[in-house]
Amino acid sequence: MEKLINEFSVGLFFWQTVLFILLLLLLRKFAWKPILNAVNDREDGIKNALAAAEEAKKEMQNVTADSERLLKEARAEREAMLKEAREIKDKMIADSKETAKIEGDKMIKQAQSAIESEKKAAVADIKNQVAELSVEIAEKVLKEQLSNKKEQLKLVENLLGDVKLN
Amino acid sequence: MQNFFVKLLFVTALFIGNSAFAQEKEGEPTDKKTEIKAYIQHHLQDSHDFNLFSSTDESGEVHHYGFPLPVILWDDGLKVFSSSKFNHGETLAEVDGNTYKLYHSKIYKTDAEGTINYDEEQHPTNAKPLDFSITKSVVMIFITGLLMLWLFSSLAKSYAKNGLIAKGAGRFFEPVVIYIRDDIARSNIGEEKYKKYMPYLLTIFFFIFFLNLFGLTPLGVNVTGNIAITVALALFTFLLTNFTGTKDYWKHLFDPLGDTMPWYAKIPLYIILVPIELLGLIIKPFSLLIRLYANMQAGHIVLMSLIGLMFIFKSWIGSPLSFGLAFAISLIEILVALLQAYIFTMLSALYFGFASETHEHGDEGEIQHL
């Protein structure tokens, strides 16, 4: 202890105190404050950048979720549209089938009635022609047969008989 | 890096070698061991001139290489003169009619013949003028200060120039600065108050660290191993601790048990407790100053003794052995240089932490620790 006290130099202590305080003040002004501020700024910058990245990531996730949702919606819509279209198609087919059937039926009926009337006309025509022909034939036959009297009478008789049967 | 230290050791060894041989040739009947001891003793002390190395020529005359430093004395008025007047303690300096003698690195006022009177314990009884000389240590403090100013202000500037990224040597020191901030200041003082102490902690860390490292160079400076320096440093920590102490800190000092028991129960305890607390106030900085002083002093003694061993064992086995040991120790000393700076800073931060602690925060801290 005595050695320590003996070694203690007031002058060195004085200079150390003065120089150290001076150094502390100068360093505080010109070094430590700017350094610590710069380091802090940088750390804040990094923190902000990280937060921004996180934010962007979240945004991205939102966007992805949004697009996913939109896609889903679009898909559902497409599905619905397709379904609707199919339904419409089916309905249209059914409708047209119906219409076609009705139309066909109508046409068939028309055709049938036309055929009927044609037939009737044809039959009437045929009847007329047959009548004419028969009259002609009859005329010819009569002319032939009526060349003799007997024959004529017999024919008349037969005809009369036929008429009765009709 | 290692190569550098090998060279460093070699150069140190050379210097010591020179002086050891020099003294041998003076023909004094001292043996080598006491020479080395005296040399180490001399090295550990501050000196009034910046001596780089000494040599002896054939005629036995000792030449010192270095430069003198100004001597500033307060002896009924300011006396300023160059230390070359002492001629390394060999001559007396006469200034304004007073005669001064440099004796064992201290300046004494003597009569015209330079007689030194001793008391029974062989201590000089001559008057000692107040010595404010710019000694070797003061020069080293100054150089370290300039180095730190240059280094850290250029680091600060490089941030501004380089977009918040350190450049050059600052890149090495920036992590240290951040380490001191995060692991020494923040963790010991707390988030709210650490900023106030940062300039001091950074200054003290690098100041001690650089001076410790300078102590390992062949310049032979022993600044941090000087009691006046460590007293001053510890005193700064002590004053800063107590001047920034909060109300809770002082309350804890004089009322350590707080509201845990009634006042009449506290009285007998406080007769013992309060003096212990007050003693702790002094012991804390005292341990700081002794720890740094003793570590640096011991490191220098061990290292120089090991180098000195080379000149005692002049054999092919002893010298490489002591060289190897000195090399190993010097590596350890580099670690110690860092460690002592760290410990001083760490403990200062711890004491600041005690002083700036407020009660609520203390409780919160305890809860967090649980």
Side-chain angles (χ1 to χ4, degrees), chain B residues 30-49:
Chain B
T30 49
D31 66 317
K32 203 153 248 168
K33 278 182 197 170
T34 42
E35 269 171 42
I36 290 170
K37 205 173 155 188
Y39 185 84
I40 293 171
Q41 275 305 316
H42 177 75
H43 160 83
L44 292 174
Q45 279 170 356
D46 203 1
S47 78
H48 282 83
D49 48 324

Side-chain angles (χ1 to χ4, degrees), chain A residues 3 7, chain B residues 12 15-17 19-20 23 31-47 104-105 136 215 220-222 225-226 293 296-312 326:
Chain A
K3 187 175 165 277
E7 258 182 49
Chain B
T12 317
F15 289 158
I16 296 166
S19 74
Q23 285 180 17
D31 66 317
K32 203 153 248 168
K33 278 182 197 170
T34 42
E35 269 171 42
I36 290 170
K37 205 173 155 188
Y39 185 84
I40 293 171
Q41 275 305 316
H42 177 75
H43 160 83
L44 292 174
Q45 279 170 356
D46 203 1
S47 78
H104 285 295
S105 301
K136 198 173 179 179
V221 282
N222 181 30
N226 191 306
Y293 165 79
M296 294 332 288
Q297 190 89 328
H300 280 245
I301 292 170
V302 169
L303 197 54
M304 293 185 76
S305 306
L306 283 172
I307 295 168
L309 275 182
M310 274 181 239
F311 303 97
I312 292 173

Side-chain angles (χ1 to χ4, degrees), chain B residues 9-264:
Chain B
L9 268 172
F10 188 68
V11 172
T12 317
L14 272 179
F15 289 158
I16 296 166
N18 276 338
S19 74
F21 285 122
Q23 285 180 17
E24 193 180 37
K25 280 182 184 168
E26 276 168 24
E28 284 174 27
T30 49
D31 66 317
K32 203 153 248 168
K33 278 182 197 170
T34 42
E35 269 171 42
I36 290 170
K37 205 173 155 188
Y39 185 84
I40 293 171
Q41 275 305 316
H42 177 75
H43 160 83
L44 292 174
Q45 279 170 356
D46 203 1
S47 78
H48 282 83
D49 48 324
F50 210 111
N51 200 20
L52 294 172
F53 56 94
S54 320
S55 68
T56 317
D57 59 17
E58 271 92 55
S59 61
E61 205 175 328
V62 185
H63 293 282
H64 295 280
Y65 298 94
F67 45 90
L69 296 168
V71 176
I72 304 166
L73 295 179
W74 184 264
D75 184 25
D76 289 333
L78 206 61
K79 307 269 192 302
V80 183
F81 55 96
S82 164
S83 72
S84 59
K85 278 197 177 181
F86 287 124
N87 207 1
H88 302 280
E90 283 157 26
T91 55
L92 302 171
E94 264 193 63
V95 186
D96 302 337
N98 293 323
T99 317
Y100 301 103
K101 185 176 168 63
L102 190 64
Y103 179 74
H104 285 295
S105 301
K106 282 205 157 54
I107 294 172
Y108 295 93
K109 197 174 176 180
T110 60
D111 54 14
E113 282 78 44
T115 348
I116 298 254
N117 304 310
Y118 299 97
D119 62 9
E120 312 87 63
E121 288 161 7
Q122 285 296 304
H123 290 141
T125 51
N126 290 46
K128 275 202 282 183
L130 273 178
D131 183 2
F132 292 105
S133 306
I134 308 295
T135 56
K136 198 173 179 179
S137 294
V138 177
V139 171
M140 282 320 294
I141 291 167
F142 198 73
I143 291 171
T144 310
L146 285 181
L147 179 73
M148 283 171 75
L149 267 177
W150 172 72
L151 210 57
F152 292 109
S153 61
S154 67
L155 173 62
K157 271 181 215 143
S158 80
Y159 281 118
K161 264 189 276 177
N162 218 20
L164 296 183
I165 293 165
K167 212 178 173 188
R171 271 201 192 162
F172 174 74
F173 291 107
E174 189 200 271
V176 185
V177 171
I178 292 174
Y179 179 81
I180 291 170
R181 186 193 63 176
D182 291 346
D183 290 271
I184 294 180
R186 264 191 185 152
S187 60
N188 286 310
I189 302 170
E191 199 62 43
E192 296 92 19
K193 292 187 176 166
Y194 82 93
K195 274 189 180 142
K196 185 166 62 171
Y197 299 105
M198 275 311 286
Y200 178 72
L201 292 174
L202 287 168
T203 312
I204 209 156
F205 176 82
F206 286 110
F207 185 79
I208 296 173
F209 181 49
F210 285 162
L211 281 173
N212 284 353
L213 284 185
F214 274 130
L216 294 174
T217 62
L219 290 173
V221 282
N222 181 30
V223 183
T224 39
N226 191 306
I227 194 77
I229 303 293
T230 59
V231 165
L233 290 173
L235 195 67
F236 291 138
T237 297
F238 174 76
L239 292 176
L240 213 55
T241 309
N242 292 303
F243 279 124
T244 57
T246 55
K247 213 177 82 188
D248 285 331
Y249 168 72
W250 291 107
K251 199 182 159 220
H252 178 79
L253 205 62
F254 292 105
D255 185 16
L257 293 172
D259 302 326
T260 50
M261 54 174 73
W263 64 270
Y264 45 83

Side-chain angles (χ1 to χ4, degrees), chain A residues 50-64:
Chain A
L50 282 177
E54 192 66 22
E55 197 71 10
K57 205 172 140 196
K58 246 179 219 166
E59 200 88 333
M60 194 69 205
Q61 269 171 352
N62 281 349
V63 167
T64 321

